[in-house]
Amino acid sequence: MTQFQVLNTRAPRLDAPAKATGQAKYADDLTMPGMLWGAILHSPYAHAKILHIDTSKALKLPGVKAVVTAKEAGLIKYGVSPARYDETLFAYEKVRYVGDEIAAVAAVDQATAQEALDLIKVDYEELPAVFDMFEAMKEGAPQIHDEFPGNLNAEVHQEFGDVEAAMAASDLVISHTFLNKRQDAAFIEPHACMAVFDSDGRLTVHSSTQVPHYAQRTIAMVLQMPIGKVRVVKPYVGGGFGPKAEATPLEMSAAFLSRLSGKPVKMTYTREEVFLHSRARHQFYAEMSLGVKKDGTMLGLKNKAVLDGGAYTSFGIATVYYSGSLLGGPYKLQGMKYDGYRVYTNRPACGAQRGHGGVAHRAAFEQLLDMTAEKLGMDPIEMRLKNIMKRGDTTVNELDMSSLGMEECIQAVRDASGWNEKKGRLPKGKGIGAACGFFVSGAGYPIYRSDTYHSTVVIKVSEDGGIATVLTGSAEIGQGSDTMVAMFAAETLGIPLDNVRVVSGDTDLSVDLGAYSSRQTLMTGHATKEAAEQVREQIVQLLADDLGYEASSITFRDGIVLFDGGPGNFEKVRTMYIKEHRGWTDPPHGEYLTFREAARLAYLKKGTLVGTGKYKPPKLGGSYKGAAVGTSPAYGCSAQVAEVSVDMETGEVTVDRMYDAHDCGLAVNRTQVEGQMQGSLSMGLGETLFEEVKFDSRGRILNASLGEYRIPTALDMPNVDTVIVESNEPKGPYGAKEVGEGAIMPTIPAILNAIYDATGIRVNELPSSSERLYMKLKSKE
Amino acid sequence: MKSLIQLTVNGRLVEAAVEPNRTLLQFLREDLELTGPKHGCGLGDCGACTVILDGKPVNSCLVLAVQANGREVLTIEGLAENGKLHPIQQAFVDKGAIQCGFCTPGMILSAKALLDANPRPTEQEIRLAISGNLCRCTGYQKIVEAVGEAAKTIQGMEVS
């Protein structure tokens, strides 16, 4: 039996009716009087010098209102981490990938804007280009950025414990390599935005962003405006998954065009532009060795990563650290060594995507575990359980697992799937596989070095006392954060969910770092809880003073007020409320005082009731270089089992069923937790079996459409048995932590381990398409 | 050169002059301000722009506005009656079938076309019917459950 009134239920999302009826407005649904349409001119070359840009003809085209290039926009360097600001809004001197932005135009309609792009004349001198990360590292390779010789964007070298000693003490060392492919986030809503200056020179950008706060900072920096003069508003967003977590050239182009034209400017990416500009999953190459004792005890792990970063850094510094730090758990290790290299190539830049930096290396590691278990003659689940971390353990790289239901997750999927009856007993072509993973509940540090709060929240109570409105800059992008915030507020105030409204996604409302690194449930949740407590305490105190009760004797529950657990003597307050609202149709009644009456009393004594909350993590992590990446107040974890059928003639894989257990600390909303688990899994399944952004020999994307770039359809997805594990995280609000990204970690290796079980083939390159598996089946015959 | 068209949209007669290259999606979104149908790709790949044209689900980005002349269009805005959600909409809300919501209008209309033609679909029939509507958020499971639930509700309503 749950101790909660609102939390831990299956309350429908607050925004569901608006979305089910088509009333929910997304960025591309917005219009404004006098609005212009913007469009961007892209480089047709992967690597070329820009000799000359002539925009005069475009400017003369009737209907064109503004054209902007590097000349007008300036050369402010920006990016995600201040350590690597390596791009300008528009290319100058040279272009670095097919799609690099040259210019943007605003015109009275879309067709005129497109026509104007064709009239911009750019003289290029093509340069030799490099598209492969290993080629790019070789001596004599074309240099993409002068400041980064050898095209080395970032390198990381870390060692924890004594890895050589751990390997020397091992009875068995097994090695494995793994290569994934560039994955597109393929959210169904392309990025869109509307930029408008008001008469005071204040800029508002309505944008499909995950991170209004970071977008505001970057836009202000590039447009050289005070941050307070830039407002970013996020309407409903049609999925983000990471690539909408940075300011985009779309937003900044629209802002410049609006400044130049004096009109609102709307811009939307085409689907092809989403593939070009959406900084999605890197290609990773992993090289890994694991040393174990004969009894299966894991001792040492050596991990090397090479990342194809594309032409710019984006989130890449964090990405290359995550590929190392996220292997520190959930298994005990005595030593871990990591060498990571992020390399520039003449391809579109890559960034953060669900499971940031961790997914490919987790896939390599969890396969390595199975390979090791097989050599030792152990059941792979037994081997995992033997090495599993528990609540309170610290990883070899100093991550504090203050709660960790990893063992419960493994046992849950083992039992639900009938693992013990199936493993090793299925016919040829049928297989079962398992894997685990964990992920942060919010990055421990902001992207820029700062003492900022990660989240602040304001709660305001309506003057009649009926409705609490939560004001937050956090970003609802489909994951359900508005509903999460409302549930925390309702639970803490002791009122029904219906009586809470949420206004979110606007930098005018509060500071919130936004929807990335699975941070909002823990961080925005904490700030919401604190704000609600402040409101509650004010009302309790005023009520206590007025009625002569001890404050500690007053509680709110489901919208009513309890005095020492009973109705108490509140006649005075009720009489006052009813007198004030004479003639109203809904006078409070019943044997208990309502929250509404109590809040009205507080308003009359104090004015508008406001509570504010804030959260920032405590100082986290070790003192080594890069220790910040991977830190988090808490870690979610999950285990999955996949059952597959492989057609031994064609190599086609069907995932028949999956079992997924996730520890989210406390399921704030059980339906939404399952939704995150099932959705994560579908993105992982797509990456495993068919997703790959393909390029031609000149760096042009070959499959920049949702027809040719295949994501899972309803026919590809199996049903998933979901098990929610709740470990009650001590550092989470009411015990809650992440679910949005940890749930993707085990998917790829669980399916690949199942394919091995079915076929005896170890897939070390994604996607495991029928073509790739067919070739391997043939060469094995 | 614009052409005059006359069609029924969500039960109301609409007359308009449209360019010959204007898609039904552009016409609905920009001229009629019905932004429920979404533009996800413009190529008929994603299904976010699905509307029901003479009883059949179509990608409105692949239909010209002039082709809809004399025909009947239902968009998501026309599904709820007198402010009461249609049983499919209600099931999507109740079952957690909605996350970002961008695929939802198209998904619900594909489901409606299915249930109109086949009131008691199997799970596989539901999956096939919505296989032209891409969703990146949910993994489809709760959508499939919602459509099944809606089928039961509609059956129950007809029996009673």
Side-chain angles (χ1 to χ4, degrees):
Chain A
M1 193 54 204
T2 172
Q3 78 223 55
F4 300 112
Q5 302 299 304
V6 180
L7 297 178
N8 214 227
T9 63
R10 293 186 175 275
R13 299 172 60 104
L14 303 189
D15 56 8
K19 287 174 171 176
T21 52
Q23 302 305 315
K25 293 288 182 202
Y26 299 76
D28 190 47
D29 300 337
L30 305 177
T31 57
M32 281 188 165
M35 149 187 123
L36 304 175
W37 297 82
I40 296 177
L41 180 68
H42 306 291
S43 163
Y45 299 110
H47 201 192
K49 272 189 195 161
I50 301 172
L51 302 176
H52 185 65
I53 301 174
D54 180 359
T55 59
S56 57
K57 277 191 183 159
L59 274 164
K60 281 182 203 144
L61 182 71
V64 171
K65 301 296 180 188
V67 179
V68 58
T69 66
K71 199 170 114 193
E72 295 79 20
L75 301 177
I76 311 284
K77 289 226 174 179
Y78 75 95
V80 174
S81 12
R84 290 288 188 293
Y85 282 172
D86 63 355
E87 51 191 317
T88 55
L89 177 53
F90 298 107
Y92 69 104
E93 294 176 351
K94 72 175 189 172
V95 289
R96 295 182 174 87
Y97 72 97
V98 173
D100 220 348
E101 294 86 355
I102 306 286
V105 302
V108 292
D109 57 27
Q110 261 175 321
T112 309
Q114 285 299 327
E115 194 182 339
L117 294 184
D118 294 340
L119 295 175
I120 298 174
K121 191 168 176 300
V122 187
D123 296 325
Y124 296 98
E125 180 188 316
E126 226 182 319
L127 296 167
V130 60
F131 304 113
D132 177 86
M133 54 190 175
F134 299 107
E135 292 297 319
M137 291 172 91
K138 286 182 183 162
E139 207 166 311
Q143 289 298 293
I144 298 169
H145 291 266
D146 292 341
E147 305 85 341
F148 295 94
N151 295 316
L152 197 55
N153 170 238
E155 64 181 305
V156 181
H157 303 286
Q158 295 177 330
E159 188 170 341
F160 307 100
D162 188 341
V163 78
E164 291 309 328
M167 290 308 207
S170 296
D171 296 318
L172 176 68
V173 176
I174 304 232
S175 302
H176 181 54
T177 67
F178 186 71
L179 184 70
N180 78 327
K181 293 295 157 60
R182 175 183 294 240
Q183 188 192 27
D184 189 81
F187 32 73
I188 312 301
E189 180 210 23
H191 304 70
C193 71
M194 170 93 77
V196 57
F197 277 87
D198 66 19
S199 52
D200 299 332
R202 189 162 188 252
L203 169 67
T204 301
V205 180
H206 304 264
S207 179
S208 52
T209 181
Q210 296 176 230
V211 287
H213 174 80
Y214 289 121
Q216 176 194 36
R217 280 181 67 88
T218 308
I219 293 166
M221 184 176 86
V222 173
L223 271 90
Q224 297 187 278
M225 293 172 69
I227 289 177
K229 288 221 163 196
V230 178
R231 175 185 178 203
V232 174
V233 184
K234 178 210 68 65
Y236 283 112
V237 169
F241 312 113
K244 288 179 184 167
E246 58 192 293
T248 61
L250 199 73
E251 292 155 345
M252 290 180 268
S253 298
F256 272 111
L257 291 167
S258 181
R259 178 189 270 173
L260 288 170
S261 64
K263 301 276 188 186
V265 175
K266 176 171 169 173
M267 298 183 78
T268 301
Y269 278 149
T270 63
R271 181 53 63 179
E272 188 181 4
E273 286 175 314
V274 172
F275 276 87
L276 285 172
H277 302 305
S278 176
R279 275 96 188 254
R281 175 106 61 232
H282 288 67
Q283 179 171 29
F284 298 82
Y285 168 75
E287 211 173 85
M288 229 173 257
S289 303
L290 175 66
V292 295
K293 300 289 279 182
K294 253 186 263 168
D295 67 357
T297 305
M298 290 161 57
L299 297 179
L301 176 69
K302 286 187 185 174
N303 174 22
K304 179 185 160 186
V306 184
L307 281 66
D308 174 1
Y312 298 102
T313 302
S314 176
F315 269 92
I317 304 290
T319 319
V320 70
Y321 275 107
Y322 271 129
S323 301
S325 65
L326 290 179
L327 290 192
Y331 312 109
K332 289 176 207 151
L333 286 166
Q334 290 182 9
M336 180 169 89
K337 183 175 188 306
Y338 175 59
D339 298 287
Y341 304 86
R342 186 178 188 273
V343 182
Y344 284 120
T345 63
N346 290 113
R347 284 177 166 188
C350 297
Q353 188 162 310
R354 198 173 215 168
H356 191 187
V359 170
H361 285 256
R362 174 60 51 188
F365 186 35
E366 295 285 326
Q367 288 186 85
L368 193 50
L369 278 177
D370 265 43
M371 292 160 69
T372 306
E374 189 183 19
K375 280 265 190 233
L376 294 174
M378 276 183 88
D379 179 88
I381 283 189
E382 275 314 304
M383 185 168 150
R384 284 174 171 83
L385 286 171
K386 187 173 178 67
N387 293 283
I388 208 70
M389 288 183 169
K390 294 192 176 153
R391 182 186 192 91
D393 282 343
T394 301
T395 68
V396 69
N397 54 339
E398 301 177 48
L399 308 180
D400 175 12
M401 300 291 166
S402 41
S403 65
L404 195 74
M406 194 67 252
E407 189 177 20
E408 293 89 324
C409 287
I410 298 178
Q411 288 164 346
V413 291
R414 179 192 64 195
D415 298 345
S417 66
W419 173 272
N420 290 340
E421 293 76 55
K422 288 174 183 165
K423 176 64 181 166
R425 295 191 174 87
L426 297 174
K428 197 174 178 192
K430 295 269 182 195
I432 189 165
C436 300
F438 76 100
F439 199 71
V440 301
S441 303
Y445 294 85
I447 289 166
Y448 58 94
R449 198 163 287 187
S450 166
D451 283 331
T452 183
Y453 288 105
H454 292 217
S455 179
T456 64
V457 164
V458 179
I459 297 182
K460 225 175 81 182
V461 183
S462 64
E463 56 106 13
D464 74 316
I467 301 291
T469 301
V470 186
L471 306 172
T472 163
S474 62
E476 168 63 76
I477 60 169
Q479 83 285 45
S481 63
D482 279 359
T483 306
M484 172 276 292
V485 161
M487 290 175 83
F488 275 124
E491 184 71 45
T492 309
L493 288 169
I495 60 177
L497 190 55
D498 269 356
N499 293 13
V500 179
R501 259 186 78 220
V502 177
V503 187
S504 68
D506 182 338
T507 54
D508 271 3
L509 298 174
S510 86
V511 170
D512 195 290
L513 302 186
Y516 74 102
S517 75
S518 294
R519 55 173 294 289
Q520 292 187 151
T521 294
L522 190 143
M523 299 192 184
T524 314
H526 263 307
T528 304
K529 181 169 177 267
E530 187 178 291
E533 283 165 351
Q534 226 181 68
V535 169
R536 190 185 64 199
E537 279 156 25
Q538 291 176 66
I539 301 172
V540 163
Q541 195 55 56
L542 293 164
L543 199 58
D545 295 348
D546 199 69
L547 292 175
Y549 280 92
E550 285 295 318
S552 60
S553 70
I554 301 176
T555 47
F556 302 148
R557 189 185 169 96
D558 206 21
I560 61 167
V561 184
L562 300 171
F563 300 89
D564 291 319
N569 182 5
F570 58 83
E571 248 351 276
K572 184 181 158 200
V573 180
R574 175 150 296 171
T575 307
M576 176 203 74
Y577 191 97
I578 290 177
K579 268 189 189 163
E580 265 201 288
H581 293 79
R582 196 167 291 163
W584 286 35
T585 52
D586 63 340
H589 54 83
E591 59 171 320
Y592 292 95
L593 185 70
T594 62
F595 177 86
R596 181 161 57 128
E597 294 163 276
R600 176 67 188 177
L601 173 83
Y603 162 76
L604 290 175
K605 290 186 179 287
K606 213 176 171 177
T608 298
L609 274 188
V610 176
T612 61
K614 60 196 180 306
Y615 179 80
K616 70 176 157 185
K619 191 184 171 335
L620 295 165
S623 53
Y624 57 90
K625 182 169 163 37
V629 183
T631 60
S632 177
Y635 298 88
C637 60
S638 46
Q640 289 170 13
V641 165
E643 285 188 66
V644 303
S645 298
V646 180
D647 185 323
M648 300 300 282
E649 295 299 316
T650 65
E652 190 182 2
V653 177
T654 306
V655 179
D656 299 317
R657 192 152 197 100
M658 287 198 73
Y659 306 85
D660 184 2
H662 187 94
D663 170 21
C664 59
L666 165 90
V668 175
N669 185 309
R670 302 188 74 80
T671 304
Q672 288 184 204
V673 167
E674 290 166 358
Q676 287 300 306
M677 292 165 71
Q678 291 162 2
S680 290
L681 204 144
S682 80
M683 191 172 258
L685 183 144
E687 186 171 1
T688 314
L689 297 184
F690 23 75
E691 294 184 39
E692 174 181 6
V693 179
K694 293 179 177 170
F695 293 85
D696 73 6
S697 61
R698 300 184 66 189
R700 293 173 295 203
I701 299 178
L702 286 167
N703 55 346
S705 73
L706 293 175
E708 289 166 280
Y709 179 88
R710 271 193 66 196
I711 66 169
T713 69
L715 293 170
D716 298 306
M717 282 306 298
N719 280 316
V720 182
D721 284 30
T722 45
V723 181
I724 297 173
V725 172
E726 295 171 295
S727 62
N728 191 16
E729 165 57 47
K731 294 185 222 154
Y734 295 104
K737 54 183 182 179
E738 75 83 41
V739 61
E741 297 184 81
I744 198 174
M745 289 295 173
T747 308
I748 297 172
I751 296 172
L752 293 181
N753 285 337
I755 292 174
Y756 178 80
D757 190 46
T759 63
I761 286 170
R762 187 51 70 190
V763 177
N764 64 351
E765 181 177 350
L766 292 182
S768 182
S769 58
S770 51
E771 182 186 357
R772 177 162 289 121
L773 206 53
Y774 172 83
M775 298 306 281
K776 284 186 175 261
L777 285 166
K778 287 293 142 194
S779 65
K780 199 187 165 203
E781 273 173 9
Chain B
M1 178 63 190
K2 288 187 175 179
S3 312
L4 282 174
I5 58 170
Q6 202 179 61
L7 65 162
T8 305
V9 179
N10 298 335
R12 288 182 27 205
L13 192 66
V14 174
E15 287 179 299
V18 295
E19 295 288 349
N21 63 351
R22 197 150 188 80
T23 65
L24 178 58
L25 179 63
Q26 288 170 324
F27 174 69
L28 293 169
R29 284 178 59 80
E30 294 168 25
D31 299 351
L32 303 188
E33 294 180 357
L34 293 170
T35 54
K38 300 298 177 199
H39 179 97
C41 69
L43 298 168
D45 292 328
C46 73
C49 65
T50 302
V51 300
I52 296 182
L53 181 63
D54 287 346
K56 294 224 162 68
V58 296
N59 288 313
S60 62
C61 72
L62 297 184
V63 177
L64 293 171
V66 291
Q67 290 176 296
N69 187 28
R71 301 171 76 179
E72 200 168 316
V73 177
L74 179 73
T75 75
I76 191 70
E77 287 91 342
L79 200 55
E81 279 178 16
N82 305 321
K84 189 173 168 10
L85 297 183
H86 184 278
I88 302 176
Q89 291 171 313
Q90 191 62 53
F92 269 58
V93 171
D94 294 341
K95 288 279 163 186
I98 299 170
Q99 289 191 27
C100 86
F102 206 75
C103 75
T104 305
M107 200 66 89
I108 288 175
L109 290 173
S110 287
K112 175 166 195 313
L114 168 72
L115 297 187
D116 285 349
N118 177 4
R120 272 183 249 186
T122 62
E123 181 188 333
Q124 194 58 20
E125 286 168 338
I126 295 171
R127 288 183 177 272
L128 187 64
I130 60 166
S131 62
N133 295 83
L134 297 177
C135 169
R136 192 60 151 171
C137 296
T138 64
Y140 302 101
Q141 189 165 332
K142 290 187 183 295
I143 295 175
V144 173
E145 287 166 8
V147 178
E149 179 75 12
K152 279 191 217 150
T153 308
I154 294 168
Q155 289 273 312
M157 283 161 59
E158 279 166 6
V159 172
S160 65

